[in-house]
Amino acid sequence: MPIVNAEVARIFTEIADLLEVQGANSFRVRAYRNAAHTLGEL
């Protein structure tokens, strides 16, 4: 079963949420959110 862009975007958003809760670097969190947004738009 192929993974669609929306699923990858959802995973990236979840990773960003987890990183944010852990107190990770805000640039790293934003990078995951931007990637999720970009993939969601494709």
Side-chain angles (χ1 to χ4, degrees):
M1 180 172 118
I3 298 177
V4 296
N5 288 347
E7 180 66 14
V8 177
R10 185 194 64 76
I11 292 168
F12 276 25
T13 300
E14 188 173 328
I15 291 171
D17 291 342
L18 292 171
L19 287 170
E20 192 170 36
V21 168
Q22 292 177 348
N25 184 304
S26 62
F27 293 107
R28 187 173 179 198
V29 174
R30 191 176 328 137
Y32 275 97
R33 292 202 192 284
N34 287 343
H37 177 74
T38 301
L39 283 171
E41 294 292 317
L42 293 177

